[in-house]
Amino acid sequence: MANASADPDKAHDEAVADAKRLMRLARTGALATLNAEGGDPLTTLVGVASDFDGAPLFLMSTLSRHTRNLARDPRASLLLSGARERGDPLNHPRVTLGGRVDLDPAGRAKSRYLQRNRKAALYAGFADFGMFRLRIESVHFNGGFGRAGALTPADVLASRAGEEALTEAEERLIAEVNALCEAVIARLAGHKVSRPVWRGIGLDGEGLDLAAGGRAARVQFRVPADDPATWRARLEELIDAR
């Protein structure tokens, strides 16, 4: 992996952290599929959310062209990039995830998606819409000039340890987060108090997702948690530190 840093381990850790952040914060992505007729590539803009382990989730109509393509050939590539910032957009991090897109009938997938894309509730109940998940097989990270290279799925996917216990407790834990004063939640998000206010919208073993209107922020734990008590302790450590 090319990097201006003299420490390859540090460069790798920074790339992993940036890729994971993009995967958690992205609400849209460019999905490339192979046309059912002719095999030419087709790239479309799709809504995105992250599963418990960070894998991308999609709510897509089976009538759309890209979903029909996936029914014939599930191979796909997804490009995720951060919010627009000043400066050269090619000097900001982005990650391309390759793999196969499968139907995900689990009700939990839809819940996670709608927590992060609330306006999608307008059409989520339509009969032709279904939940899909990208089974990641390759990762290409580009952090800007001099920071490009391949990561592995194991690098960017979080452990699913404790998933059942944490998802069962998620509603309660998020309610505890949102009961904190607005200034504390804003500090966790790395921002000042604003309107709309910052609120917790989802969690996993590695952290907490926050949103304020169309803005999103990620609270990343230094050490993962695999049960509700440990998750709460990790969050309290970050609150105390900020």
Side-chain angles (χ1 to χ4, degrees):
M1 181 179 299
N3 194 293
S5 171
D7 185 342
D9 291 335
K10 181 180 179 181
H12 178 268
D13 290 346
E14 290 175 349
V16 168
D18 282 345
K20 284 189 171 187
R21 189 177 304 110
L22 289 170
M23 291 166 63
R24 293 295 186 185
L25 294 180
R27 296 296 175 265
T28 59
L31 180 68
T33 60
L34 298 172
N35 274 318
E37 297 181 4
D40 296 328
L42 171 74
T43 303
T44 50
L45 184 68
V46 295
V48 182
S50 62
D51 204 350
F52 187 87
D53 63 352
L57 297 171
F58 316 101
L59 174 65
M60 301 188 297
S61 169
T62 55
L63 303 178
S64 66
R65 186 171 170 185
H66 52 265
T67 311
R68 295 201 308 272
N69 289 345
L70 291 168
R72 179 181 181 276
D73 188 335
R75 290 178 297 169
S77 180
L78 178 71
L79 172 64
L80 302 175
S81 60
R84 290 190 177 185
E85 301 177 24
R86 289 184 294 180
D88 188 344
L90 295 182
N91 201 28
H92 295 296
R94 60 267 192 195
V95 64
T96 300
L97 307 171
R100 285 168 167 74
V101 176
D102 302 316
L103 187 66
D104 189 335
R108 183 62 195 160
K110 179 178 284 190
S111 175
R112 287 188 69 88
Y113 187 90
L114 293 179
Q115 284 174 183
R116 291 154 178 78
N117 300 278
R118 298 201 171 188
K119 291 186 178 180
L122 295 172
Y123 49 83
F126 292 177
D128 60 296
F129 275 81
M131 290 303 309
F132 296 81
R133 185 179 192 270
L134 175 63
R135 180 157 40 94
I136 300 174
E137 298 174 350
S138 66
V139 184
H140 179 77
F141 172 77
N142 192 322
F145 297 122
R147 293 187 64 213
L151 299 176
T152 69
D155 285 328
V156 300
L157 290 173
S159 169
R160 301 193 82 113
E163 178 176 5
E164 183 176 350
L166 286 171
T167 54
E168 183 179 339
E170 182 175 31
E171 184 176 355
R172 180 174 71 255
L173 292 171
I174 292 299
E176 292 176 10
V177 169
N178 292 336
L180 297 169
C181 78
E182 294 177 5
V184 170
I185 304 175
R187 284 201 304 273
L188 284 172
H191 294 270
K192 296 181 180 179
V193 175
S194 63
R195 292 290 183 275
V197 298
W198 287 95
R199 287 288 182 263
I201 59 169
L203 60 80
D204 53 81
E206 292 190 339
L208 166 70
D209 293 330
L210 299 169
R215 294 184 295 167
R218 174 70 177 172
V219 179
Q220 189 77 11
F221 297 158
R222 295 181 181 87
V223 180
D226 58 11
D227 64 79
T230 306
W231 191 95
R232 187 182 291 108
R234 296 280 184 267
L235 185 66
E236 290 173 353
E237 290 170 2
L238 287 178
I239 293 173
D240 292 341
R242 300 185 188 188

